[in-house]
DNA sequence: ACAGTATATGCAATTTTTTGCATATTGTCA
DNA sequence: TGACAATATGCAAAAAATTGCATATACTGT
């Protein structure tokens, strides 16, 4: 590993080093989520959430899929998925924050409409 | 995991998200190093190196051991060691930068004097 | 005690991140 | 088409991290 490699690695690690982004990634490694859900359980304004998503998207870590008015983001970076497994522990069952969310939020995104939440 | 947990975790990850600190930790996970060696292969001024070390020390990730004029730093955070294993890959053989360093630096720290380097 | 060496500390300047918010864009439905 | 809803974008203010450097401290050998 030369100096450039360390720079690149550190840059990727920086994506994880922010509470909001870490929470987003923790949610996304379970399944794709739309902005409205992330907004709901982060408790942050929508432009704020979209900006963190933009960061992750520009780095190629997540991918956007449009479905009508909603945009679903999916975690597509395998290395990052492995890192998250080791840092946050493996995924077990449903995301706790999503369970809370289930009781509180009911938006007209496809997931909510089909009764997934 | 609640919001506070994510904050703490992100804070710890932030320690890794800087090229100089990442390089320092990569070196320290092999064996304890004194500041003069870290300074040599980072190619950064000594106060700069000491400051990054202070950050890591305050977070409890590394420990200082004095030996005469020198201070040897040791990586003592097990979780961090595991993270580094997954992010940087497992340790194999000698640190490449230390081999270069072997040819270039010969300081009067105990390691150099005993011919370890 | 003095000179020299390794490391630490403190602080200001700079740069980067984070945050907040107004507004733009895009798609839906009536 | 017009009103509305979900998301994106741009930009400035605030906060935090990084960097550089002068100087302090601690230890050694003479």
């Amino acid at each position: 590993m030369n100096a450039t490699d360390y720079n690149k690695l550190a840059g990727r690690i920086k994506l994880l080093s922010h509470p909001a982004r870490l929470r987003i990634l923790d949610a996304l490694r379970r399944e794709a989520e739309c902005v409205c859900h992330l907004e709901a359980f982060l408790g942050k304004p929508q432009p704020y959430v979209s900006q963190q998503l933009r960061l992750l998207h520009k780095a190629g870590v997540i991918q956007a899929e449009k479905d009508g008015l909603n945009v679903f983001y999916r975690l597509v970076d395998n290395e990052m998925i492995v890192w998250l497994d080791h840092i946050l522990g493996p995924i077990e069952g449903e995301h706790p924050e999503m369970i809370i969310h289930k009781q509180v939020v009911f938006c007209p995104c496809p997931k909510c409409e089909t009764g997934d939440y």
Side-chain angles (χ1 to χ4, degrees), chain A residues 15-16 20-22 24-25 28 51-63 80:
Chain A
L15 296 169
L16 301 177
R21 287 194 299 270
L22 192 57
I24 288 174
L25 291 171
L28 293 193
Q51 266 189 112
Q52 302 295 356
L53 290 170
R54 174 166 44 171
L55 254 178
L56 296 171
H57 187 257
K58 268 204 289 192
V61 170
I62 60 177
Q63 249 182 23
M80 202 67 84

Side-chain angles (χ1 to χ4, degrees), chain A residues 3 17 23-24 33 39 41 48 50 55 60 67 87 101 107 110:
Chain A
S17 74
R23 280 175 93 173
I24 288 174
E33 293 291 350
E39 187 188 340
F41 74 79
Y48 180 96
S50 278
L55 254 178
D67 186 341
I87 291 175
H101 162 227
C107 64

Side-chain angles (χ1 to χ4, degrees), chain A residues 25-96:
Chain A
L25 291 171
D26 190 17
L28 293 193
R29 70 191 178 129
R30 295 159 201 271
E31 55 182 335
E33 293 291 350
C34 64
V35 180
C36 57
H37 286 173
L38 297 171
E39 187 188 340
F41 74 79
L42 280 186
K44 297 278 184 182
Q46 173 271 317
Y48 180 96
V49 175
S50 278
Q51 266 189 112
Q52 302 295 356
L53 290 170
R54 174 166 44 171
L55 254 178
L56 296 171
H57 187 257
K58 268 204 289 192
V61 170
I62 60 177
Q63 249 182 23
E65 283 169 38
K66 283 203 164 184
D67 186 341
L69 267 184
N70 304 285
V71 178
F72 285 79
Y73 283 95
R74 174 181 307 285
L75 185 45
V76 293
D77 186 311
N78 287 328
E79 186 186 43
M80 202 67 84
I81 291 173
V82 173
W83 290 358
L84 289 168
D85 267 6
H86 288 117
I87 291 175
L88 298 169
I91 305 173
E92 337 168 307
E94 200 168 357
H95 189 141

